[in-house]
Amino acid sequence: MLVQLPLNRASNFAMENDLKSPKRKRAVPLKKMSSQNVASQKEPQEEKQSICDMEDMFSDIETQKIRKALLGWYEDNCRDLPWRRRTNKEEEEDEEKEKRAYGVWVSEVMLQQTRVQTVIQYYNRWMLKWPTLHHLAQASLEEVNEMWAGLGYYRRARFLLEGAKMIIAGGDGFPKTISSLRKVPGIGEYTAGAIASIAFEEVAPVVDGNVVRVLARLKAICANPKHKTIVKNFWKLAAQLVDPCLPGDFNQSLMELGAIICTPMNPSCSLCPVSSHCRAYSISKEDKSVVVTDYPAKVLKVKQRKEYSAVCVVEILGSHDIVEGQNTGSRFLLVKRPNEGLLAGLWEFPSITLDKEADLTLRKNEIDHLLKKSFRLERGMTYQKISREEVGEFFHIFSHIRLKVYVELLVICLKGERSDLFSEQDNEVMSWKCVDSKALATLGLTSGVRKVYNMVQKLKQKKLST
């Protein structure tokens, strides 16, 4: 339920049929539009708008100059990232190419909606644990989720695992073409193009958020960049530009330019290797009321909806270890989410979803009902309450949800020899486990769950100090 959703790499776009557009002298940027308003427009109107806003294709001379400029700039300025191995691709054996493809796949999936600096440490740890596709295919979903903890969008991790198992089971080696890559779970048009071009030198375009921004400014395209008709044209432009001799390097140069030079808010136009071909830059110099950042049109985000949740950290003191039969002191109750749906297979503290803001009494009653129904934890009957206190609350921000989380700590001692306490749990509701504080500190948990645990620890430290 609780997970950080970091932002950066835009979602992949789908390639569709091409559309032509007439020449215009210049493009005028549109005002900001809400995604709801854009979606409500009729298809013929949007198609007409895209034709008006989309300039002609690059000329042959312009294409050659842009390729040369970008490849030269990339050679001298590309960032040293662990998934970029500059090798002689012609001398690479098939095994090395497949290993490169695997690394590209992992990095591209991690980079979706996530900053590069965050991904680097995750990528290095991942490749250390599962250096090849065969290693990953032998992993469990729980292991993968623990390694992924903190990156958000856990569905991506599940698709990586499912895809690895599917490829290995097929016995034909790593897919080398876009058409075969698209058959792998979780690999869309963008990821397929990135793998095929970078690892196997297939002449194929890639279009992500960085590429859209660069192309929109090069051609002064001021239409909604997320509309499917406009997306088709971005793929068409990218396909025209991609270098037939070095498709992988060119695609990376285009993405790199958008990442470090042609940025959303503060582009460094004076350092851009293709500024002489940029219509947005040219227009901004002629008309001071227009700036490069007007391109592409900015779509206002949909307002986040509010949701509420109550989390209960259940700490069991001096209890008989249910799993190992040892007296190990304080342990914490963790609940496993279902293997399908949001945050599938991840561990969290017992929690409930609330319809609206609720007072402490109502939250406690709801938590008590959950503990009794799912774990047979009933005060006076199966456990003695040592303490119960409100820890605090915080907001957890998702891309489309503003979640308010209430946190409480319930410290209990089980009554008698109750090793069978949880044996009659409703298996259709949830799975559980008890872990000590040392194991909990090293367990792969989502950022939201980790925040809850840290709040509890701070409360305990404060009580000790006073």
Side-chain angles (χ1 to χ4, degrees), residues 447-461:
S447 59
V449 176
R450 181 68 61 190
K451 187 169 186 177
V452 169
Y453 180 66
N454 290 339
M455 289 174 65
V456 169
Q457 293 303 104
K458 287 181 179 179
L459 175 66
K460 289 184 175 183
Q461 292 173 4

Side-chain angles (χ1 to χ4, degrees), residues 21-48:
S21 52
K23 278 189 176 181
R24 298 196 322 126
K25 290 184 179 180
R26 61 178 287 183
V28 180
L30 301 177
K31 294 181 179 180
K32 289 183 178 180
M33 61 189 81
S34 71
S35 56
Q36 291 178 333
N37 290 338
V38 170
S40 66
Q41 294 178 5
K42 295 182 180 180
E43 184 67 26
Q45 293 177 327
E46 293 196 44
E47 191 164 316
K48 182 178 179 181

Side-chain angles (χ1 to χ4, degrees), residues 83-332:
W83 49 86
R84 286 180 181 163
R85 296 182 301 160
R86 309 302 294 274
T87 61
N88 188 336
K89 298 175 185 177
E90 294 181 357
E91 297 178 359
E92 276 188 336
E93 300 291 339
D94 288 344
E95 184 178 345
E96 281 299 311
K97 288 183 178 180
E98 292 194 2
K99 190 173 182 180
R100 171 194 286 267
Y102 169 60
V104 172
W105 182 25
V106 172
S107 67
E108 290 298 338
V109 172
M110 286 184 172
L111 284 165
Q112 294 168 15
Q113 305 290 345
T114 312
R115 293 181 175 88
V116 170
Q117 290 306 313
T118 301
V119 167
I120 290 175
Q121 57 177 326
Y122 279 91
Y123 177 85
N124 288 333
R125 284 191 300 149
W126 181 285
M127 298 305 288
L128 187 63
K129 187 174 182 64
W130 300 302
T132 68
L133 196 66
H134 287 81
H135 289 91
L136 176 59
Q138 297 172 17
S140 66
L141 178 58
E142 185 169 340
E143 289 176 316
V144 168
N145 282 335
E146 288 185 3
M147 182 66 69
W148 198 271
L151 269 180
Y153 293 110
Y154 289 82
R155 187 181 177 187
R156 298 178 294 169
R158 188 176 79 249
F159 278 145
L160 271 172
L161 178 61
E162 291 177 1
K165 291 180 180 295
M166 173 182 168
I167 294 172
I168 296 302
D172 297 325
F174 203 101
K176 297 177 174 59
T177 63
I178 287 180
S179 59
S180 58
L181 284 163
R182 287 299 306 273
K183 298 176 183 178
V184 179
I187 294 185
E189 194 70 29
Y190 163 78
T191 306
I195 296 172
S197 63
I198 296 172
F200 302 113
E201 295 297 305
E202 181 175 348
V203 182
V206 295
V207 175
D208 71 346
N210 287 323
V211 173
V212 165
R213 188 166 57 256
V214 171
L215 294 177
R217 290 172 180 175
L218 281 174
K219 304 299 289 181
I221 300 168
C222 49
N224 171 23
K226 294 185 179 296
H227 183 262
K228 61 181 180 180
T229 305
I230 307 302
V231 169
K232 296 174 187 177
N233 286 301
F234 281 126
W235 277 95
K236 184 177 181 179
L237 287 171
Q240 184 192 11
L241 284 180
V242 63
D243 189 280
C245 299
L246 296 169
D249 285 353
F250 180 82
N251 286 337
Q252 290 182 94
S253 73
L254 202 56
M255 293 186 287
E256 189 79 343
L257 186 73
I260 65 178
I261 298 294
C262 195
T263 56
M265 301 305 298
N266 298 296
S268 303
C269 297
S270 60
L271 301 177
C272 179
V274 292
S275 60
S276 60
H277 305 284
C278 181
R279 288 183 180 171
Y281 183 54
S282 176
I283 292 171
S284 69
K285 290 194 295 184
E286 296 175 5
D287 187 348
K288 299 302 181 183
S289 66
V290 178
V291 293
V292 172
T293 53
D294 287 333
Y295 304 90
K298 297 175 178 61
V299 181
L300 296 179
K301 295 181 180 180
V302 177
K303 186 177 180 181
Q304 294 172 325
R305 69 175 184 268
K306 295 181 180 179
E307 293 190 359
Y308 306 90
S309 174
V311 178
C312 182
V313 178
V314 179
E315 182 177 5
I316 305 173
L317 295 181
S319 63
H320 187 73
D321 190 316
I322 300 169
V323 178
E324 300 176 358
Q326 299 176 359
N327 291 316
T328 55
S330 177
R331 300 176 72 82
F332 295 87

Side-chain angles (χ1 to χ4, degrees), residues 58-68 240-241:
F58 295 101
S59 68
D60 290 341
I61 295 177
E62 195 175 21
T63 298
Q64 295 296 330
K65 289 183 177 180
I66 290 175
R67 286 174 181 169
K68 182 178 180 181
Q240 184 192 11
L241 284 180

Side-chain angles (χ1 to χ4, degrees), residues 385-397:
K385 185 189 79 171
I386 306 302
S387 66
R388 186 171 190 173
E389 51 193 317
E390 192 171 12
V391 178
E393 59 189 51
F394 67 94
F395 285 99
H396 202 70
I397 308 301

Side-chain angles (χ1 to χ4, degrees), residues 1-6 141-142 145-146 148-158 335-349 351 396 398 401 403 444-449:
M1 177 181 296
L2 308 176
V3 60
Q4 180 181 1
L5 299 182
L141 178 58
E142 185 169 340
N145 282 335
E146 288 185 3
W148 198 271
L151 269 180
Y153 293 110
Y154 289 82
R155 187 181 177 187
R156 298 178 294 169
R158 188 176 79 249
V335 175
K336 187 178 182 181
R337 296 185 61 83
N339 288 327
E340 299 293 334
L342 181 66
L343 305 180
L346 296 175
W347 294 95
E348 62 185 14
F349 297 110
S351 64
H396 202 70
F398 295 79
I401 300 172
L403 178 66
L445 300 173
T446 67
S447 59
V449 176

